[in-house]
Amino acid sequence: MTGPVGLELRRGTGLLLAAGIAVTGVVLVLVSLVGPGSRLQWSVSGPGLVPWLNSVALLLGPMAGAAGAWSGSRERRLRVDELVAPVSRPRWQRDVASFGAMSVAVGAGLLIVVAATFATVAGAVTYSGGRWPLSMLLVALGYLAWLAAGVAAGRLFPYRWTAPAIGLLCYLVGGLPTYLHTAAGQLAPVGNLPGADGWQLRPGVAALGAGWLLALTVTALTAGAADRRRWAALPATVAIAAAVALLALPVRWTGKFNTAAWVVGDPRANERVCSTDTPRVCVRRVHANLLPEVTAVTRAALAPVRGYTFIEEDPTTPPGVRPAVAPGELVVIPNLQGRTQPFTGALRDPGELTRTSQDWAVSAWCPQLSAAGDRAYTTARELVSGRSVPGVRDPAGWLRDYLAAARLCDTTAFERLAGS
């Protein structure tokens, strides 16, 4: 590779940036594999990988911004700007070439991170549909915006402290919206981009996000590189218009995200894939690889419970939150996103799925549960786990009566059961 782009990659910041992104990203993947908990940060699908690759941008994106600032400030920081001033090539062309080289470096580093992440679940992928490429496009545009902001800052403030300052600023700008449940958080989609198994971006909102990030990139490059900075007014106007449109989007809770306006369900991913015998166990198509193990685990876990005919994966409930459904013929089990064991395709933590399935099966979804109801639930939880409870001589009959009371929120029955 020759010319300014090749020179930037070989002797500039490009190779260091690519290596830094790749090494940091792979280390984050490895740390997540051995981390505690029953879930991975990503799942066995295109939509399931995007949230992880988006979230690591909170750390990798500021690296791109800092590297851009270091590259952009190089001429004046090294006091060679007067030497290159007589060169016939305009400054904006040199800066665009440098930005292009840095973009290649960012892309190369990210490809290694993507490959490392995908390798952990490649053998278990059963669904690759949906609009996840749109999400990946927005993530890529976010990196370009960070990089352009860094280059512009380096041009305008050519000091040694500019690069670390821009890195910190990018981290704050990208990370703070995670804690802001307001429309302003939608102006920093990268690092906070909604996505999960069974969800996909709305094309219109994705186009707004892409326009916003592209306009920011062009504005930053024009302000930092052009001899006449007033040309930055045009892309800045586009950026403002896109920002106003994003701020106007409502902020609503979907069950997983606060940015409900960004996403819509993916019908194909959420189709049921079920066992053929009874009780039927159904998971979503996006988790079809887990059906045999989930069937065995949940049937064994719910063996003490009688009267149900379906076991179905809940499509929307996030970890740690139980769905508002009544016990009866249908037993709901947790969302299976992230429950695949890396490199094997097996269920990551059968014990945790057993405990959660038992808990949900006997929970009484009543508006207000009395003290007797709480005591009855505790007894039911013990019985469904296979443990004996003093005073309960017929566990199967007791559970049958409890589930009937829970279905109707029968306070009188709870009191009788709690006293048995």
Side-chain angles (χ1 to χ4, degrees), residues 173-237:
V173 169
L176 284 179
T178 303
Y179 308 100
L180 299 177
H181 304 313
T182 65
Q186 298 180 106
L187 297 181
V190 180
N192 309 282
L193 190 67
D197 287 346
W199 295 89
Q200 56 189 351
L201 290 180
R202 299 177 189 270
V205 179
L208 270 179
W212 159 247
L213 293 172
L214 273 174
L216 281 181
T217 300
V218 176
T219 300
L221 288 177
T222 306
D227 294 324
R228 297 179 180 180
R229 293 193 176 94
R230 65 176 178 270
W231 290 107
L234 180 59
T237 301

Short mmCIF file of all heavy atoms in Angstrom, two decimals, residues 173-237:
data_model
loop_
_atom_site.label_atom_id
_atom_site.label_comp_id
_atom_site.label_asym_id
_atom_site.label_seq_id
_atom_site.Cartn_x
_atom_site.Cartn_y
_atom_site.Cartn_z
N VAL A 173 -19.49 11.04 26.77
CA VAL A 173 -20.61 11.30 25.86
C VAL A 173 -21.30 10.00 25.47
O VAL A 173 -22.52 9.92 25.34
CB VAL A 173 -20.13 12.06 24.62
CG1 VAL A 173 -21.22 12.11 23.55
CG2 VAL A 173 -19.71 13.48 25.00
N GLY A 174 -20.51 8.94 25.28
CA GLY A 174 -21.11 7.66 24.91
C GLY A 174 -21.72 6.92 26.08
O GLY A 174 -22.72 6.21 25.91
N GLY A 175 -21.14 7.08 27.27
CA GLY A 175 -21.59 6.29 28.41
C GLY A 175 -22.71 6.90 29.21
O GLY A 175 -23.58 6.18 29.72
N LEU A 176 -22.76 8.22 29.32
CA LEU A 176 -23.77 8.86 30.15
C LEU A 176 -25.20 8.54 29.72
O LEU A 176 -26.08 8.36 30.57
CB LEU A 176 -23.55 10.37 30.19
CG LEU A 176 -22.41 10.86 31.09
CD1 LEU A 176 -22.27 12.37 31.02
CD2 LEU A 176 -22.62 10.42 32.53
N PRO A 177 -25.49 8.48 28.41
CA PRO A 177 -26.88 8.17 28.02
C PRO A 177 -27.38 6.83 28.52
O PRO A 177 -28.58 6.60 28.55
CB PRO A 177 -26.81 8.19 26.48
CG PRO A 177 -25.72 9.13 26.16
CD PRO A 177 -24.69 8.88 27.24
N THR A 178 -26.46 5.92 28.91
CA THR A 178 -26.89 4.66 29.49
C THR A 178 -27.73 4.89 30.74
O THR A 178 -28.63 4.10 31.06
CB THR A 178 -25.66 3.80 29.85
OG1 THR A 178 -24.86 3.62 28.67
CG2 THR A 178 -26.07 2.45 30.38
N TYR A 179 -27.44 5.99 31.44
CA TYR A 179 -28.12 6.28 32.70
C TYR A 179 -29.20 7.35 32.54
O TYR A 179 -29.83 7.74 33.50
CB TYR A 179 -27.11 6.74 33.75
CG TYR A 179 -25.96 5.77 33.89
CD1 TYR A 179 -24.73 6.01 33.28
CD2 TYR A 179 -26.11 4.60 34.62
CE1 TYR A 179 -23.68 5.12 33.40
CE2 TYR A 179 -25.06 3.71 34.75
CZ TYR A 179 -23.84 3.98 34.12
OH TYR A 179 -22.81 3.07 34.24
N LEU A 180 -29.39 7.83 31.30
CA LEU A 180 -30.39 8.86 31.05
C LEU A 180 -31.59 8.24 30.35
O LEU A 180 -31.48 7.77 29.23
CB LEU A 180 -29.80 9.97 30.16
CG LEU A 180 -28.60 10.74 30.71
CD1 LEU A 180 -28.10 11.74 29.67
CD2 LEU A 180 -28.97 11.46 31.99
N HIS A 181 -32.72 8.24 31.03
CA HIS A 181 -33.93 7.69 30.43
C HIS A 181 -34.74 8.82 29.81
O HIS A 181 -35.93 8.97 30.05
CB HIS A 181 -34.75 6.94 31.47
CG HIS A 181 -33.96 5.85 32.14
ND1 HIS A 181 -33.20 4.95 31.42
CD2 HIS A 181 -33.81 5.52 33.44
CE1 HIS A 181 -32.61 4.10 32.26
NE2 HIS A 181 -32.96 4.44 33.49
N THR A 182 -34.06 9.62 29.00
CA THR A 182 -34.70 10.75 28.34
C THR A 182 -34.41 10.68 26.84
O THR A 182 -33.58 9.89 26.39
CB THR A 182 -34.17 12.09 28.88
OG1 THR A 182 -32.77 12.20 28.55
CG2 THR A 182 -34.33 12.17 30.39
N ALA A 183 -35.09 11.53 26.10
CA ALA A 183 -34.90 11.54 24.65
C ALA A 183 -33.47 11.92 24.27
O ALA A 183 -32.99 11.54 23.19
CB ALA A 183 -35.89 12.51 24.00
N ALA A 184 -32.77 12.66 25.13
CA ALA A 184 -31.40 13.07 24.83
C ALA A 184 -30.49 11.86 24.64
O ALA A 184 -29.50 11.91 23.90
CB ALA A 184 -30.85 13.97 25.93
N GLY A 185 -30.80 10.75 25.30
CA GLY A 185 -30.00 9.55 25.15
C GLY A 185 -30.02 8.99 23.74
O GLY A 185 -29.12 8.23 23.35
N GLN A 186 -31.02 9.37 22.94
CA GLN A 186 -31.11 8.86 21.58
C GLN A 186 -30.13 9.55 20.63
O GLN A 186 -30.00 9.14 19.48
CB GLN A 186 -32.55 9.01 21.07
CG GLN A 186 -33.52 8.21 21.94
CD GLN A 186 -34.96 8.32 21.49
OE1 GLN A 186 -35.52 7.40 20.92
NE2 GLN A 186 -35.56 9.47 21.76
N LEU A 187 -29.46 10.57 21.10
CA LEU A 187 -28.45 11.24 20.28
C LEU A 187 -27.10 10.53 20.37
O LEU A 187 -26.17 10.92 19.68
CB LEU A 187 -28.29 12.70 20.72
CG LEU A 187 -29.53 13.59 20.55
CD1 LEU A 187 -29.22 15.01 20.99
CD2 LEU A 187 -30.00 13.56 19.10
N ALA A 188 -26.97 9.55 21.23
CA ALA A 188 -25.74 8.76 21.33
C ALA A 188 -26.11 7.29 21.19
O ALA A 188 -25.98 6.53 22.16
CB ALA A 188 -25.03 9.04 22.64
N PRO A 189 -26.58 6.88 20.00
CA PRO A 189 -27.06 5.50 19.87
C PRO A 189 -25.97 4.45 20.01
O PRO A 189 -26.22 3.35 20.50
CB PRO A 189 -27.68 5.47 18.46
CG PRO A 189 -26.97 6.57 17.72
CD PRO A 189 -26.70 7.63 18.74
N VAL A 190 -24.75 4.76 19.57
CA VAL A 190 -23.70 3.77 19.62
C VAL A 190 -23.24 3.60 21.07
O VAL A 190 -22.89 4.55 21.75
CB VAL A 190 -22.52 4.17 18.72
CG1 VAL A 190 -21.42 3.12 18.77
CG2 VAL A 190 -22.99 4.36 17.30
N GLY A 191 -23.26 2.36 21.53
CA GLY A 191 -23.04 2.07 22.92
C GLY A 191 -24.34 1.91 23.67
O GLY A 191 -24.39 1.30 24.73
N ASN A 192 -25.42 2.46 23.11
CA ASN A 192 -26.75 2.38 23.73
C ASN A 192 -27.79 1.91 22.72
O ASN A 192 -28.99 2.00 22.97
CB ASN A 192 -27.16 3.75 24.26
CG ASN A 192 -26.10 4.38 25.13
OD1 ASN A 192 -25.96 4.02 26.29
ND2 ASN A 192 -25.34 5.31 24.58
N LEU A 193 -27.35 1.42 21.59
CA LEU A 193 -28.26 1.03 20.52
C LEU A 193 -29.10 -0.16 20.96
O LEU A 193 -28.55 -1.18 21.38
CB LEU A 193 -27.46 0.68 19.27
CG LEU A 193 -28.26 0.47 17.98
CD1 LEU A 193 -28.89 1.77 17.53
CD2 LEU A 193 -27.34 -0.07 16.89
N PRO A 194 -30.42 -0.06 20.92
CA PRO A 194 -31.24 -1.20 21.33
C PRO A 194 -31.12 -2.36 20.36
O PRO A 194 -31.04 -2.17 19.15
CB PRO A 194 -32.67 -0.63 21.33
CG PRO A 194 -32.62 0.49 20.35
CD PRO A 194 -31.24 1.07 20.47
N GLY A 195 -31.10 -3.55 20.89
CA GLY A 195 -31.01 -4.73 20.05
C GLY A 195 -30.96 -5.98 20.90
O GLY A 195 -30.41 -5.98 22.00
N ALA A 196 -31.59 -7.04 20.41
CA ALA A 196 -31.60 -8.31 21.13
C ALA A 196 -32.21 -9.35 20.20
O ALA A 196 -32.76 -9.01 19.14
CB ALA A 196 -32.39 -8.21 22.42
N ASP A 197 -32.13 -10.61 20.60
CA ASP A 197 -32.79 -11.66 19.84
C ASP A 197 -34.27 -11.34 19.69
O ASP A 197 -34.95 -11.04 20.68
CB ASP A 197 -32.66 -13.00 20.57
CG ASP A 197 -31.25 -13.56 20.49
OD1 ASP A 197 -30.47 -13.05 19.67
OD2 ASP A 197 -30.93 -14.49 21.24
N GLY A 198 -34.76 -11.42 18.47
CA GLY A 198 -36.18 -11.20 18.24
C GLY A 198 -36.58 -9.76 18.02
O GLY A 198 -37.75 -9.46 17.84
N TRP A 199 -35.62 -8.84 18.05
CA TRP A 199 -35.90 -7.42 17.80
C TRP A 199 -35.09 -6.95 16.61
O TRP A 199 -34.03 -7.48 16.30
CB TRP A 199 -35.53 -6.58 19.02
CG TRP A 199 -36.36 -6.86 20.23
CD1 TRP A 199 -36.10 -7.78 21.21
CD2 TRP A 199 -37.58 -6.24 20.60
NE1 TRP A 199 -37.07 -7.76 22.16
CE2 TRP A 199 -38.00 -6.82 21.83
CE3 TRP A 199 -38.37 -5.23 20.04
CZ2 TRP A 199 -39.16 -6.43 22.48
CZ3 TRP A 199 -39.53 -4.84 20.70
CH2 TRP A 199 -39.91 -5.45 21.90
N GLN A 200 -35.59 -5.92 15.94
CA GLN A 200 -34.86 -5.32 14.83
C GLN A 200 -35.18 -3.83 14.76
O GLN A 200 -36.22 -3.38 15.25
CB GLN A 200 -35.23 -6.01 13.51
CG GLN A 200 -36.71 -6.02 13.19
CD GLN A 200 -37.02 -6.88 12.00
OE1 GLN A 200 -36.13 -7.35 11.29
NE2 GLN A 200 -38.30 -7.11 11.73
N LEU A 201 -34.26 -3.08 14.17
CA LEU A 201 -34.44 -1.63 14.06
C LEU A 201 -35.53 -1.30 13.05
O LEU A 201 -35.71 -1.99 12.05
CB LEU A 201 -33.15 -0.96 13.64
CG LEU A 201 -31.99 -0.93 14.63
CD1 LEU A 201 -30.80 -0.21 14.01
CD2 LEU A 201 -32.40 -0.23 15.93
N ARG A 202 -36.25 -0.21 13.33
CA ARG A 202 -37.17 0.32 12.34
C ARG A 202 -36.35 1.04 11.27
O ARG A 202 -35.49 1.89 11.61
CB ARG A 202 -38.14 1.30 13.00
CG ARG A 202 -39.02 0.69 14.08
CD ARG A 202 -39.88 1.76 14.72
NE ARG A 202 -40.57 1.26 15.89
CZ ARG A 202 -41.78 0.70 15.87
NH1 ARG A 202 -42.43 0.58 14.71
NH2 ARG A 202 -42.35 0.27 16.97
N PRO A 203 -36.58 0.77 9.99
CA PRO A 203 -35.74 1.39 8.94
C PRO A 203 -35.74 2.91 8.98
O PRO A 203 -34.71 3.55 8.79
CB PRO A 203 -36.38 0.85 7.65
CG PRO A 203 -37.03 -0.43 8.04
CD PRO A 203 -37.53 -0.21 9.44
N GLY A 204 -36.91 3.52 9.23
CA GLY A 204 -36.97 4.98 9.24
C GLY A 204 -36.14 5.59 10.34
O GLY A 204 -35.43 6.59 10.13
N VAL A 205 -36.20 5.00 11.53
CA VAL A 205 -35.42 5.53 12.65
C VAL A 205 -33.92 5.25 12.43
O VAL A 205 -33.07 6.08 12.77
CB VAL A 205 -35.91 4.93 13.97
CG1 VAL A 205 -35.08 5.46 15.14
CG2 VAL A 205 -37.37 5.25 14.19
N ALA A 206 -33.62 4.09 11.87
CA ALA A 206 -32.22 3.79 11.57
C ALA A 206 -31.66 4.80 10.56
O ALA A 206 -30.50 5.23 10.67
CB ALA A 206 -32.09 2.37 11.01
N ALA A 207 -32.48 5.21 9.59
CA ALA A 207 -32.04 6.21 8.62
C ALA A 207 -31.77 7.54 9.30
O ALA A 207 -30.79 8.24 8.98
CB ALA A 207 -33.09 6.37 7.52
N LEU A 208 -32.61 7.91 10.26
CA LEU A 208 -32.37 9.13 11.03
C LEU A 208 -31.06 9.05 11.79
O LEU A 208 -30.27 10.00 11.79
CB LEU A 208 -33.52 9.35 12.02
CG LEU A 208 -34.73 10.17 11.56
CD1 LEU A 208 -35.75 10.24 12.68
CD2 LEU A 208 -34.32 11.56 11.10
N GLY A 209 -30.85 7.92 12.46
CA GLY A 209 -29.60 7.74 13.20
C GLY A 209 -28.39 7.79 12.30
O GLY A 209 -27.37 8.40 12.65
N ALA A 210 -28.48 7.15 11.13
CA ALA A 210 -27.37 7.16 10.18
C ALA A 210 -27.10 8.58 9.68
O ALA A 210 -25.94 9.02 9.58
CB ALA A 210 -27.65 6.23 9.02
N GLY A 211 -28.18 9.32 9.36
CA GLY A 211 -28.01 10.70 8.91
C GLY A 211 -27.36 11.58 9.96
O GLY A 211 -26.50 12.41 9.66
N TRP A 212 -27.75 11.39 11.21
CA TRP A 212 -27.19 12.14 12.32
C TRP A 212 -25.70 11.88 12.46
O TRP A 212 -24.90 12.82 12.57
CB TRP A 212 -27.96 11.78 13.58
CG TRP A 212 -27.30 12.03 14.90
CD1 TRP A 212 -26.89 11.08 15.79
CD2 TRP A 212 -26.99 13.29 15.50
NE1 TRP A 212 -26.35 11.66 16.91
CE2 TRP A 212 -26.39 13.02 16.76
CE3 TRP A 212 -27.15 14.61 15.11
CZ2 TRP A 212 -25.96 14.03 17.61
CZ3 TRP A 212 -26.71 15.63 15.96
CH2 TRP A 212 -26.13 15.33 17.19
N LEU A 213 -25.31 10.61 12.45
CA LEU A 213 -23.90 10.27 12.63
C LEU A 213 -23.05 10.70 11.43
O LEU A 213 -21.93 11.19 11.59
CB LEU A 213 -23.76 8.77 12.88
CG LEU A 213 -24.36 8.27 14.20
CD1 LEU A 213 -24.35 6.75 14.24
CD2 LEU A 213 -23.62 8.85 15.39
N LEU A 214 -23.59 10.52 10.22
CA LEU A 214 -22.85 10.96 9.02
C LEU A 214 -22.66 12.48 9.02
O LEU A 214 -21.58 12.99 8.69
CB LEU A 214 -23.59 10.52 7.77
CG LEU A 214 -23.29 9.12 7.24
CD1 LEU A 214 -24.22 8.78 6.08
CD2 LEU A 214 -21.83 9.01 6.80
N ALA A 215 -23.73 13.20 9.36
CA ALA A 215 -23.63 14.66 9.36
C ALA A 215 -22.62 15.13 10.41
O ALA A 215 -21.86 16.09 10.18
CB ALA A 215 -25.00 15.27 9.64
N LEU A 216 -22.60 14.47 11.58
CA LEU A 216 -21.59 14.81 12.59
C LEU A 216 -20.18 14.58 12.06
O LEU A 216 -19.28 15.40 12.28
CB LEU A 216 -21.82 13.97 13.84
CG LEU A 216 -22.92 14.38 14.80
CD1 LEU A 216 -22.95 13.42 15.99
CD2 LEU A 216 -22.72 15.80 15.29
N THR A 217 -19.99 13.45 11.37
CA THR A 217 -18.66 13.13 10.84
C THR A 217 -18.20 14.19 9.85
O THR A 217 -17.07 14.70 9.93
CB THR A 217 -18.70 11.75 10.16
OG1 THR A 217 -19.08 10.76 11.12
CG2 THR A 217 -17.35 11.39 9.58
N VAL A 218 -19.07 14.53 8.90
CA VAL A 218 -18.69 15.52 7.87
C VAL A 218 -18.48 16.89 8.50
O VAL A 218 -17.55 17.63 8.12
CB VAL A 218 -19.78 15.56 6.78
CG1 VAL A 218 -19.45 16.65 5.75
CG2 VAL A 218 -19.90 14.21 6.08
N THR A 219 -19.32 17.25 9.46
CA THR A 219 -19.16 18.55 10.13
C THR A 219 -17.81 18.63 10.83
O THR A 219 -17.10 19.65 10.72
CB THR A 219 -20.28 18.75 11.17
OG1 THR A 219 -21.55 18.72 10.51
CG2 THR A 219 -20.12 20.07 11.90
N ALA A 220 -17.45 17.57 11.54
CA ALA A 220 -16.17 17.59 12.27
C ALA A 220 -15.00 17.67 11.31
O ALA A 220 -14.06 18.46 11.51
CB ALA A 220 -16.06 16.33 13.13
N LEU A 221 -15.02 16.86 10.25
CA LEU A 221 -13.90 16.88 9.30
C LEU A 221 -13.79 18.23 8.61
O LEU A 221 -12.69 18.75 8.40
CB LEU A 221 -14.09 15.78 8.26
CG LEU A 221 -13.87 14.34 8.74
CD1 LEU A 221 -14.17 13.35 7.63
CD2 LEU A 221 -12.46 14.15 9.26
N THR A 222 -14.92 18.81 8.24
CA THR A 222 -14.90 20.10 7.55
C THR A 222 -14.40 21.21 8.47
O THR A 222 -13.59 22.06 8.08
CB THR A 222 -16.31 20.45 7.04
OG1 THR A 222 -16.81 19.37 6.24
CG2 THR A 222 -16.27 21.71 6.18
N ALA A 223 -14.87 21.18 9.72
CA ALA A 223 -14.44 22.21 10.66
C ALA A 223 -12.95 22.11 10.97
O ALA A 223 -12.28 23.12 11.19
CB ALA A 223 -15.25 22.10 11.95
N GLY A 224 -12.42 20.91 10.98
CA GLY A 224 -11.02 20.73 11.36
C GLY A 224 -10.06 20.82 10.21
O GLY A 224 -8.90 21.19 10.39
N ALA A 225 -10.53 20.48 8.98
CA ALA A 225 -9.59 20.35 7.87
C ALA A 225 -9.73 21.42 6.81
O ALA A 225 -8.75 21.76 6.14
CB ALA A 225 -9.77 18.97 7.22
N ALA A 226 -10.91 21.96 6.62
CA ALA A 226 -11.12 22.90 5.51
C ALA A 226 -10.45 24.24 5.79
O ALA A 226 -10.39 24.71 6.94
CB ALA A 226 -12.61 23.09 5.27
N ASP A 227 -9.95 24.85 4.73
CA ASP A 227 -9.37 26.18 4.87
C ASP A 227 -10.46 27.20 5.18
O ASP A 227 -10.22 28.20 5.84
CB ASP A 227 -8.63 26.57 3.59
CG ASP A 227 -7.41 25.69 3.35
OD1 ASP A 227 -6.77 25.33 4.36
OD2 ASP A 227 -7.14 25.35 2.20
N ARG A 228 -11.66 26.93 4.69
CA ARG A 228 -12.79 27.83 4.96
C ARG A 228 -13.81 27.05 5.79
O ARG A 228 -14.59 26.27 5.27
CB ARG A 228 -13.41 28.30 3.64
CG ARG A 228 -12.45 29.12 2.79
CD ARG A 228 -13.08 29.55 1.50
NE ARG A 228 -12.17 30.34 0.69
CZ ARG A 228 -12.47 30.85 -0.51
NH1 ARG A 228 -13.67 30.63 -1.02
NH2 ARG A 228 -11.58 31.54 -1.17
N ARG A 229 -13.77 27.29 7.08
CA ARG A 229 -14.58 26.48 7.98
C ARG A 229 -16.06 26.78 7.89
O ARG A 229 -16.89 26.05 8.44
CB ARG A 229 -14.09 26.68 9.43
CG ARG A 229 -12.69 26.13 9.65
CD ARG A 229 -12.36 26.04 11.13
NE ARG A 229 -11.07 25.42 11.32
CZ ARG A 229 -9.92 26.08 11.45
NH1 ARG A 229 -9.91 27.40 11.40
NH2 ARG A 229 -8.78 25.44 11.61
N ARG A 230 -16.42 27.86 7.18
CA ARG A 230 -17.84 28.13 7.04
C ARG A 230 -18.56 27.05 6.25
O ARG A 230 -19.78 26.92 6.32
CB ARG A 230 -18.07 29.49 6.39
CG ARG A 230 -17.57 29.62 4.95
CD ARG A 230 -17.95 30.98 4.38
NE ARG A 230 -17.46 31.16 3.03
CZ ARG A 230 -16.29 31.68 2.71
NH1 ARG A 230 -15.46 32.06 3.69
NH2 ARG A 230 -15.91 31.83 1.45
N TRP A 231 -17.78 26.23 5.49
CA TRP A 231 -18.41 25.12 4.77
C TRP A 231 -19.00 24.09 5.73
O TRP A 231 -19.85 23.28 5.34
CB TRP A 231 -17.40 24.45 3.85
CG TRP A 231 -17.00 25.29 2.67
CD1 TRP A 231 -15.82 25.93 2.48
CD2 TRP A 231 -17.80 25.57 1.53
NE1 TRP A 231 -15.82 26.61 1.29
CE2 TRP A 231 -17.04 26.39 0.66
CE3 TRP A 231 -19.10 25.22 1.12
CZ2 TRP A 231 -17.51 26.87 -0.54
CZ3 TRP A 231 -19.57 25.69 -0.10
CH2 TRP A 231 -18.79 26.50 -0.91
N ALA A 232 -18.57 24.13 6.98
CA ALA A 232 -19.11 23.18 7.96
C ALA A 232 -20.56 23.50 8.32
O ALA A 232 -21.25 22.67 8.92
CB ALA A 232 -18.26 23.19 9.23
N ALA A 233 -21.04 24.68 7.94
CA ALA A 233 -22.42 25.05 8.29
C ALA A 233 -23.44 24.15 7.62
O ALA A 233 -24.50 23.85 8.20
CB ALA A 233 -22.67 26.51 7.91
N LEU A 234 -23.15 23.71 6.39
CA LEU A 234 -24.13 22.87 5.67
C LEU A 234 -24.34 21.52 6.35
O LEU A 234 -25.48 21.16 6.70
CB LEU A 234 -23.68 22.69 4.22
CG LEU A 234 -24.61 21.83 3.35
CD1 LEU A 234 -26.01 22.43 3.30
CD2 LEU A 234 -24.04 21.70 1.93
N PRO A 235 -23.28 20.71 6.57
CA PRO A 235 -23.52 19.45 7.28
C PRO A 235 -24.00 19.66 8.71
O PRO A 235 -24.75 18.83 9.24
CB PRO A 235 -22.15 18.75 7.26
CG PRO A 235 -21.16 19.83 7.03
CD PRO A 235 -21.86 20.84 6.17
N ALA A 236 -23.60 20.77 9.34
CA ALA A 236 -24.09 21.05 10.69
C ALA A 236 -25.59 21.26 10.69
O ALA A 236 -26.29 20.85 11.63
CB ALA A 236 -23.37 22.27 11.26
N THR A 237 -26.12 21.90 9.64
CA THR A 237 -27.57 22.09 9.54
C THR A 237 -28.29 20.75 9.42
O THR A 237 -29.33 20.52 10.05
CB THR A 237 -27.89 22.97 8.32
OG1 THR A 237 -27.23 24.23 8.46
CG2 THR A 237 -29.39 23.20 8.20
#
